[in-house]
Amino acid sequence: MAQTILILDFGGQYKELIARRVRECNVYSIVKSGDITPNEIREINPIGIILTGGPNSVYDENSPHCDKEIFNLGIPVLGICYGTQLLAWSVGGTVEACSNLSEYGKTDMIVDTESLLYKDMDENQIGLMSHTDQITVLPEGFRSIAHTDNCKNASIENIDRKLYGVQYHPEVESTPNGTQIIRNFLYNVCGALGDYNLKDLEAKLIEDVRAQVGDEHVLLALSGGVDSSVCAALLSKAIPGQLHCVFVDHGLMRKNEGDEVEAAFANKDLDFIRVNAKDRFLKALDGVVDPEQKRKIIGAEFVKVFEAESEKLPNVKFLAQGTIYPDVIESGGSHAATIKSHHNVGGLPKNMQFTGLVEPLRGLFKDEVRILGRQLGLSADYVDRQPFPGPGLGVRIMGEITEEKIKILQEADAIFREEMKKNQIKADQFFAVLTDTRSVGVVGDFRTFDYTVALRAVKTSDFMTCEYVPVPHEVLGIASSRIVNEVDGAGRVVYDITGKPPATIEWC
Ligand code: XMP
């Protein structure tokens, strides 16, 4: 078992980032709620604890506090922002609102290089500050090890108790040497060995799956997305011959995508079941124009197909899914028994014979899942794919969904993606949409009345908000002319320059 750093969450937006930074330093990390008990901590047996930031003021009664006993366990602690104020306040220091202005943004700091936290670093550092409170009186036994013009206790330490705090955010890129500071905490203070790496982890995950499953058979709902695909690759290595993957092709995939998913798994040692259900999906969607109704129909149809398939595999005891760590954190960490309402597959069947869930990736972040996928032999092209909505092109075709419209959109989308790739345009998600607007054109001597295709490319880190990407006009021009020339039924191309909010990323 790898050494573990325990991250306690006090409502800050960067908890996942802190956990990832720790893992980048080859130390395993987990996130738990800040109200964890000392006994639960002892059971986890971490080599160190990191307290996250948060939006509250520690002196407010309703702000999140932790059991003060945590600071007497002999386990090194690093507080970040609110976490450092909480640490100081809990052991007898004073925290007050900043008297002049709150500090915000990249800030020059002078650090004490005698401290283990800043060992071998330059004394001039930059830290991202974002605080309206600060530590005004240090607790007994503490000293300041960094200051800025406006903050005399930008970092604090008590060497004997191994308690450390930073007022800034070392986990963000705007603190240029932040990862080094975290590394110093891990290696100089907590005695980390650096025993976490994905190669060893792969072997461990395989061992765990084998121990859990024994000789039983497992059914994996494979959507073709990164998480469930990596899960399939891992399970096929762990339990060859016992894995059945059900991939429901609803006919609303991107061009060639169904075949690509099949090709990625065809040679693996698993039972790959592709259910070509296009006809039944199109039938169910016939004449439907309301976007929400389309989603509901696609979701319900998916469940029916999946249920029908699982009935054909009566001896399967486990259901596997590609749940990853952010899914677990988001649901408060008490996720063990719930079947994830899978965003990508539109909900899973409820009345089935499964006795257990297999979720080997539930401790990993997306970027780690991608690395693992490559390690397992999935091609880079495959594991770096952008998110694709479960209802597929169903949410990218305005108005009624017909076979003709799917074909137009698949072709136009493939051209746009090809041009974006060829011209190395960076965007987090990009695709074509088929609007329900037709317009007049002229091809040769003939009048046409064809569909308008909209192109969309967005930059986003969390997909909750986005900005449009200013794709160069030349690239848009080439994509547009190729689409109207090469795709039957596409008569005009427009580019979507709306952000989210107010627009969403998908059109419906
Ligand atoms: P919106 O359109 O809400 O999309 O701005 C945000 C992100 O979620 C994806 N998306 C979906 N994914 N099922 C999914 O699995 C859906 O119904 C769905 N709707 C949107 C979208 O592609 C974007 O990445």
Side-chain angles (χ1 to χ4, degrees), residues 89-152:
W89 179 86
S90 302
V91 296
T94 306
V95 174
E96 291 171 292
C98 297
S99 53
N100 35 11
L101 283 174
S102 50
E103 251 185 329
Y104 187 80
K106 285 180 163 191
T107 310
D108 290 325
M109 307 187 289
I110 306 287
V111 306
D112 182 344
T113 56
E114 297 283 303
S115 166
L116 289 176
L117 209 55
Y118 302 111
K119 197 167 163 232
D120 298 329
M121 294 180 73
D122 196 291
E123 70 168 11
N124 294 298
Q125 294 292 330
I126 293 170
L128 181 89
M129 290 288 186
S130 172
H131 64 122
T132 48
D133 289 343
Q134 61 178 337
I135 302 162
T136 48
V137 181
L138 286 176
E140 209 183 303
F142 279 73
R143 70 182 190 108
S144 168
I145 49 172
H147 65 272
T148 71
D149 281 351
N150 291 316
C151 182
K152 61 182 179 171

Side-chain angles (χ1 to χ4, degrees), residues 313-491:
L313 298 163
N315 294 322
V316 169
K317 288 280 177 294
F318 289 92
L319 173 68
Q321 45 180 22
T323 310
I324 67 170
Y325 199 42
D327 305 326
V328 179
I329 302 178
E330 288 317 318
S331 54
S334 56
H335 196 245
T338 21
I339 289 181
K340 179 187 173 196
S341 62
H342 207 303
H343 201 43
N344 280 332
V345 295
L348 284 173
K350 290 171 189 63
N351 308 314
M352 290 198 299
Q353 76 269 23
F354 304 115
T355 55
L357 265 183
V358 178
E359 298 181 317
L361 309 181
R362 59 179 286 128
L364 299 187
F365 289 105
K366 191 83 169 185
D367 48 350
E368 295 179 305
V369 170
R370 292 199 155 111
I371 296 170
L372 185 65
R374 270 185 227 121
Q375 247 171 237
L376 287 160
L378 290 175
S379 76
D381 260 5
Y382 198 84
V383 290
D384 289 337
R385 307 160 102 203
Q386 37 182 304
F388 184 61
L393 302 183
V395 296
R396 294 181 182 167
I397 293 175
M398 311 303 289
E400 198 182 341
I401 297 175
T402 62
E403 199 147 3
E404 181 209 6
K405 285 168 89 176
I406 295 174
K407 179 92 183 125
I408 297 172
L409 181 54
Q410 282 177 331
E411 296 299 328
D413 181 68
I415 290 172
F416 182 46
R417 284 191 291 131
E418 201 179 303
E419 290 302 329
M420 289 287 281
K421 191 170 173 194
K422 201 187 321 172
N423 292 284
Q424 297 176 4
I425 311 294
K426 284 208 164 62
D428 296 301
Q429 202 174 4
F430 50 92
F431 50 86
V433 171
L434 192 65
T435 75
D436 210 21
T437 300
R438 294 203 286 170
S439 64
V440 173
V442 53
V443 176
D445 290 334
F446 295 99
R447 177 186 182 277
T448 57
F449 190 53
D450 285 332
Y451 285 104
T452 303
V453 171
L455 305 179
R456 182 140 175 76
V458 299
K459 193 176 158 4
T460 172
S461 54
D462 54 11
F463 297 87
M464 307 292 280
T465 60
C466 79
E467 289 164 31
Y468 79 90
V469 173
V471 176
H473 279 201
E474 307 83 75
V475 178
L476 289 174
I478 293 167
S480 164
S481 104
R482 281 195 58 197
I483 289 170
V484 289
N485 282 313
E486 295 174 31
V487 184
D488 267 354

Side-chain angles (χ1 to χ4, degrees), residues 300-319:
E301 210 58 27
F302 178 88
V303 171
K304 281 188 220 156
V305 176
F306 194 77
E307 265 166 353
E309 287 307 310
S310 71
E311 270 165 30
K312 296 180 197 161
L313 298 163
N315 294 322
V316 169
K317 288 280 177 294
F318 289 92
L319 173 68

Side-chain angles (χ1 to χ4, degrees), residues 52-67:
T52 75
N56 300 82
S57 285
V58 71
Y59 44 79
D60 282 348
E61 223 172 275
N62 295 329
S63 62
H65 292 155
C66 61
D67 191 320

Side-chain angles (χ1 to χ4, degrees), residues 152-217:
K152 61 182 179 171
N153 298 315
S155 183
I156 60 172
E157 76 172 6
N158 180 324
I159 310 178
D160 297 334
R161 296 176 69 185
K162 296 191 177 176
L163 302 178
Y164 289 77
V166 293
Q167 182 56 70
Y168 54 91
H169 287 274
E171 69 277 23
V172 300
E173 280 171 10
S174 305
T175 299
N177 294 320
T179 303
Q180 182 61 45
I181 294 163
I182 291 174
R183 184 185 296 276
N184 285 348
F185 174 67
L186 301 176
Y187 286 83
N188 298 346
V189 180
C190 303
L193 301 170
D195 59 359
Y196 176 70
N197 68 68
L198 288 176
K199 200 73 218 166
D200 292 349
L201 186 73
E202 180 188 319
K204 163 102 174 46
L205 294 177
I206 288 177
E207 214 176 277
D208 290 351
V209 168
R210 286 181 182 149
Q212 182 188 6
V213 168
D215 296 330
E216 303 294 351
H217 281 231

